[in-house]
Amino acid sequence: MPVQCSNCVQRRAVLKRPKTGHSLCKDCFFWAFEEEIHQTIVSAGLFNRGETVAIGASGGKDSTVLAHVMKVLNERYDYGLNLLLLSVDEGITGYRDDSLETVKRNQQQYELPLKIVSYEELYGWTMDAIVKQVGLKNNCTFCGVFRRQALDRGAMMLKVDKICTGHNADDVAETVLMNVLRGDIARLRRCTAISTASEGEGAIPRCKPLKYAYEKEIVLYAYFKKLDYFSTECIYSPNAYRGHARAFLKDLESIRPSSIIDVIHSGETLSVKDGVKMPVQGTCSRCGYISSQALCKSCVLLEGLNRGLPKLGIGKHHRLHGKILAQEPLTEQEEKKLKAVDF
Ligand code: SF4
Ligand code: ZN
């Protein structure tokens, strides 16, 4: 016998909400999903009327759903926001070039302006070239650090007030687990924040309107709305460690769906005991971007690439920052250590 929607009690249910277990029809699911995001936005005070907001758009399901829902809510509740799409082209042939085609279609479908910034224009390196030099082990470190800065730089070019990204509840919970596993207290404290207030010069406030949206529901929403998104994995995606955290979380979710929110909640309520040293945010002496060291991670990684010493930015080599800034050569021993022998 067909199951009735538990909300409207009129139409047939087409799905069981992964988050709540409720059987809902399509329209009631859309409404519930969008309303929860609206509640997240309103209760955290993410935006102010009149602001220009860049939506970080990769063409993937999360950012496509984010762009769609932001547009719907901006109109439905008259947020008064000026929305636009901002994409980063990492220079990954066979992956990003295709996903950017999706973003370009989204631009037309949602009638939003689009800006694409590329690693090549910003750093002089594509991910294809970086992988050739560093191999497939630490490539995501380069990519992640460069992407973060590239989004900021693109946002600055566009003079936006805020950036919003498609990080969902699963991503946040996974990051909490990763930071616990690594004992990274500073990141653990930051990673559950729904928005970063301006962290200083060179950083534009970011927020995550999908912070409480389950990945499974994002997929369902995109599917039933027939949104146009790109679902292929990056060809350079090794990230085995994160993969384990992800698999572990999925296992937990299958036993108890609230696990995802529970992990986020744990991350949010953890407090750091007195006396734990936290990094102090300053600015990079080379590019002016936020950094807790003399040089930001991005400048160190780039220096390593340009000098053919890719390990320079992997691990901690803070004591070399002075030499790099003074453009002094490294000793033979230092060079040997930083070459990519066992990379
Ligand atoms: Fe970049 Fe790694 Fe993500 Fe690929 S998987 S886009 S290399 S961070
Ligand atoms: Zn820098």
Side-chain angles (χ1 to χ4, degrees), residues 149 153 283-291 294-300:
Q149 208 186 76
R153 293 220 221 162
T283 51
C284 170
S285 336
R286 180 170 282 182
C287 72
Y289 192 72
I290 42 159
S291 171
L295 279 170
C296 74
K297 189 86 177 162
S298 176
C299 281
V300 179

Side-chain angles (χ1 to χ4, degrees), residues 168-179 191-192 211 242 245 249 259-264:
N168 60 39
D170 298 53
D171 296 329
V172 177
E174 199 179 290
T175 309
V176 170
L177 288 179
M178 294 285 290
N179 288 330
C191 74
T192 54
K211 182 186 166 188
R242 185 172 273 276
L249 199 67
S259 302
I260 293 174
I261 292 292
D262 295 341
V263 171
I264 296 179

Side-chain angles (χ1 to χ4, degrees), residues 90 92 95-96 119 127 131 139-141 143-144 147 234-239:
E90 297 94 342
I92 302 175
Y95 168 64
R96 187 54 84 215
Y119 283 5
M127 270 317 287
V131 167
N139 56 307
C140 293
T141 302
C143 196
R147 183 181 308 108
C234 171
I235 48 171
Y236 300 140
S237 161
N239 236 328

Side-chain angles (χ1 to χ4, degrees), residues 309-312 316-317 319-320 331-343:
L309 305 170
K311 275 178 159 177
L312 188 60
K316 294 193 165 49
H317 302 288
R319 52 183 187 80
L320 297 176
T331 64
E332 215 173 288
Q333 217 183 3
E334 284 165 344
E335 291 231 357
K336 226 165 107 191
K337 252 175 80 187
L338 299 170
K339 279 246 159 68
V341 190
D342 57 350
F343 221 50

Side-chain angles (χ1 to χ4, degrees), residues 142-156:
F142 287 82
C143 196
V145 171
F146 286 168
R147 183 181 308 108
R148 185 174 172 83
Q149 208 186 76
L151 259 185
D152 270 331
R153 293 220 221 162
M156 276 185 246

